[in-house]
Every structure is written in C-alpha cells, then in structure tokens.
Amino acid sequence: MKKIFSLIFLFSALMLNARDIVPFEVDSKNNLPTVEIYVNNDPVPFNFILDTGCSVVMANSNNDRLIKLLNLCETDTADYAHSSAVIRKTAFDNTLMLGSLVVDSIQIFADNDPSTDYDGIIGQRLLERFSKVGIFPDSKVIIFCEQGEPLKIADGVEQRLVKSAGVYGTELSIKADSCEVSGLFMIDTGFTGTLCVNSDFSENHKLPTKLKKFGGESSTDGSGIKNNSVMVTAPRIKFADESMPLLPILLEENSYPAEWRDTFNGLIGYDLLKRFRMIWDYENMTLIFAPGFNYFSPLTSIKQQ
C-alpha cells in the first residue's frame, strides 16, 4: 500500500512525458540502489549498482557469465577513490536493457576488484546520454527523458552541476559553532555513507578540531591500499536548501585522485541522497532537489560508512 501511495504521489508531483520509467531496488547488504539489466540480449538479468560517482559502465570480471557476453579488446587505467587499476574495455558495441529502456552502442569496462560483489555498475556515461534523469528513492524509480521531454518536481530547488573527470558534483556547506565552510562535493550514489570529506579540505579548514569526533576507522581497499578515517558530526549540514543536524561525516586521511581532488572536496553519499527526489538536468547542467518520503529515514549503520 505504501508503494502504491508513493507512486500516486510521484505522478501527481511530476509533470512528465518520460521516455522510460525503470524500477530499482536497494540491496540489503550494501544499502545501495541496484537495477536489473539485460546485457547483449541475454535472457538472464544481472544486478548493476546505480553509481553516479563512476564515469563509465563497469562489469565485474569475476562474473564469468557476464564476461563471456562481452568482447573485451583493449586495456586502460581507471581511477578509483584511493587507487588506480588496469582494466579491460570493449568496443562501443554493447546493448543494455533496463526495464523497457534499450540503450545501445555502449562501451563497458571490466574490473576484477576482489573487494566487490556487484555484477556491474551503471555510471555517468550511460546516464548523461539523456537530457534529464530523475532518481526517486522513495518510489524506487528512475525516469529517463530525451531532449525536450518535461520533467519537474513540485517545489524543487535548483543547484548547479559541476563536471570533472566524467563525474558531477554540487555545493554543500558544513556548519559548526566556530565555522561554516562550503565546497563542491561529488554526488555519489555508489557511496553508502552520508558525507566524506577529502583530507586536504578537512585540514585546510581545521575540521578535525572544530567538529565533534566520535570514532575512527581503518580499512583496506581492493588494491591493498590502507585508508584511515576519522568519524565526526557537524551541528548542521546545508544541502539542497535543507539544513540537517548531526549527520556522520568521514574525514579521510588518504586523498582522492588529483583529477577529482582538484575540483571536488569530497563525496555526498546515498545515505544522504536517498532523502531527496532528484532530477539530473544534463542539458542545463543543473540538479533539482526536493525532500521525499525518505527524508526522515534512519541512518545506515555507521560501520557501513
């Protein structure tokens, strides 16, 4: 009943003539949005993560059935949050089917990162082929629009999109009693947590001493790189014209690749993004937000940050 009500609210709140409406689910293990995808007309679907913080479409090369469907032909180097990896890529000859949406002439990259268990990743190279893409976590649908097709959110707030290294970000402010700092943060539905701040931005604004620390974390990524983080909270985070209190923030000691770090001061994760309806307007380089039914949903476990 709740899902039916959400869909009724969605269509009453939107003015749309969308080309395709694609459902998604949230994986219970990693708390990230996943989409059922058919690859190159194979009759058995795969689960791909919707990852706006990835610039390309990725396949997990540990999935033998998926890799056999691809014609891998070249090698390249891909940059991740803390490392780089040599990967394989296909020609632009793949077809993906999401619901009734068919997207052809797609290049797919294959990665054997042992720390992941996804089938694949939908990145920006697919999303930005459309004029507008609406992501509605409370109704669990993605709406893909061709140029000229209207898509709006009632009472939505517009923020500018900034593109760098194939991904996009927008502005966010962190407020404490003794400071207020603003920066550009990558919008990353592939990051489970709420907010991650780069080490250089954190140190330049003395955030470790101005925000309340409540823990630390050490982890190793798929390339064997050790990452150390400090967990803090800020009295307020201002995002999409909404002021939200006491959300957990990671202050990373290891910085992101230079091409990201030169533009973005950190990541806005899905645990924050799931509280908003979003329209990515690639044609006008704007992001349109409005709080959704999930706005007051409980936080993901801090350990998943």
Side-chain angles (χ1 to χ4, degrees), residues 75-79 84-87 109:
T75 60
D76 202 351
T77 300
D79 288 323
S84 297
V86 176
I87 59 176
F109 291 69

Side-chain angles (χ1 to χ4, degrees), residues 261-280:
R261 191 172 63 248
D262 290 344
T263 304
F264 301 119
N265 304 124
L267 310 175
I268 302 170
Y270 189 67
D271 209 2
L272 191 154
L273 296 170
K274 71 181 181 182
R275 304 165 197 282
F276 295 87
R277 303 182 178 101
M278 299 171 281
I279 296 175
W280 295 68

Side-chain angles (χ1 to χ4, degrees), residues 19-25 34-48 95-103 122 126 130 140-144:
R19 179 172 183 259
D20 282 281
I21 299 174
V22 176
F24 71 87
E25 296 295 332
T34 62
V35 178
E36 192 173 76
I37 288 186
Y38 295 86
V39 177
N40 291 336
N41 301 312
D42 188 81
V44 181
F46 299 92
N47 286 322
F48 276 42
T95 298
L96 303 180
M97 184 174 182
L98 303 72
S100 60
L101 173 65
V102 177
V103 184
I122 301 171
L126 187 153
F130 296 87
K140 293 185 180 178
V141 296
I142 309 169
I143 299 177
F144 295 87

Side-chain angles (χ1 to χ4, degrees), residues 99 149 183 202 233 258 264 292 295 302 305:
E149 294 175 340
S202 173
T233 57
F264 301 119
Y295 186 75
I302 298 300
Q305 294 261 17

Side-chain angles (χ1 to χ4, degrees), residues 100-120:
S100 60
L101 173 65
V102 177
V103 184
D104 56 17
S105 302
I106 286 287
Q107 186 176 45
I108 297 177
F109 291 69
D111 177 4
N112 64 350
D113 183 351
S115 66
T116 58
D117 56 3
Y118 57 81
D119 291 335

Side-chain angles (χ1 to χ4, degrees), residues 10-284:
L10 169 66
F11 291 114
S12 65
L14 298 174
M15 296 174 57
L16 59 91
N17 181 24
R19 179 172 183 259
D20 282 281
I21 299 174
V22 176
F24 71 87
E25 296 295 332
V26 177
D27 185 272
S28 58
K29 181 178 179 181
N30 58 27
N31 198 43
L32 296 176
T34 62
V35 178
E36 192 173 76
I37 288 186
Y38 295 86
V39 177
N40 291 336
N41 301 312
D42 188 81
V44 181
F46 299 92
N47 286 322
F48 276 42
I49 296 172
L50 175 65
D51 187 354
T52 59
C54 182
S55 60
V56 297
V57 177
M58 298 288 298
N60 188 343
S61 61
N62 294 312
N63 187 317
D64 292 336
R65 185 172 70 85
L66 175 56
I67 294 304
K68 287 178 181 178
L69 296 172
L70 306 176
N71 180 25
L72 298 173
C73 57
E74 299 178 58
T75 60
D76 202 351
T77 300
D79 288 323
Y80 298 98
H82 298 287
S83 62
S84 297
V86 176
I87 59 176
R88 301 287 303 279
K89 61 182 179 180
T90 71
F92 290 86
D93 59 354
N94 298 284
T95 298
L96 303 180
M97 184 174 182
L98 303 72
S100 60
L101 173 65
V102 177
V103 184
D104 56 17
S105 302
I106 286 287
Q107 186 176 45
I108 297 177
F109 291 69
D111 177 4
N112 64 350
D113 183 351
S115 66
T116 58
D117 56 3
Y118 57 81
D119 291 335
I121 290 175
I122 301 171
Q124 290 289 355
R125 190 168 292 181
L126 187 153
L127 299 177
E128 65 187 5
R129 286 176 56 166
F130 296 87
S131 173
K132 298 180 182 68
V133 175
I135 303 175
F136 302 92
D138 49 8
S139 301
K140 293 185 180 178
V141 296
I142 309 169
I143 299 177
F144 295 87
C145 292
E146 299 285 6
Q147 188 172 3
E149 294 175 340
L151 183 64
K152 297 181 180 179
I153 302 177
D155 301 320
V157 175
E158 290 191 4
Q159 295 194 185
R160 70 185 180 104
L161 277 174
V162 175
K163 183 178 182 180
S164 177
V167 293
Y168 297 79
T170 193
E171 189 169 349
L172 177 144
S173 297
I174 300 172
K175 299 182 179 183
D177 294 338
S178 57
C179 73
E180 178 178 349
V181 298
S182 297
L184 289 173
F185 287 78
M186 188 192 304
I187 307 160
D188 189 0
T189 58
F191 169 54
T192 302
T194 55
L195 188 66
C196 180
V197 180
N198 290 353
S199 58
D200 48 1
F201 183 82
S202 173
E203 294 298 330
N204 288 341
H205 294 284
K206 297 180 172 58
L207 295 183
T209 61
K210 295 178 178 179
L211 302 180
K212 183 177 180 181
K213 180 179 177 179
F214 66 90
E217 185 175 88
S218 179
S219 62
T220 302
D221 66 18
S223 300
I225 304 298
K226 289 186 177 181
N227 309 310
N228 296 310
S229 307
V230 176
M231 296 182 181
V232 299
T233 57
R236 290 282 165 184
I237 296 175
K238 186 176 181 182
F239 175 63
D241 214 30
E242 295 289 324
S243 183
M244 295 167 283
L246 299 176
L247 293 179
I249 304 171
L250 286 184
L251 304 182
E252 291 276 325
E253 292 187 16
N254 289 324
S255 296
Y256 300 116
E259 58 182 345
W260 292 358
R261 191 172 63 248
D262 290 344
T263 304
F264 301 119
N265 304 124
L267 310 175
I268 302 170
Y270 189 67
D271 209 2
L272 191 154
L273 296 170
K274 71 181 181 182
R275 304 165 197 282
F276 295 87
R277 303 182 178 101
M278 299 171 281
I279 296 175
W280 295 68
D281 187 341
Y282 293 103
E283 189 175 6
N284 297 301

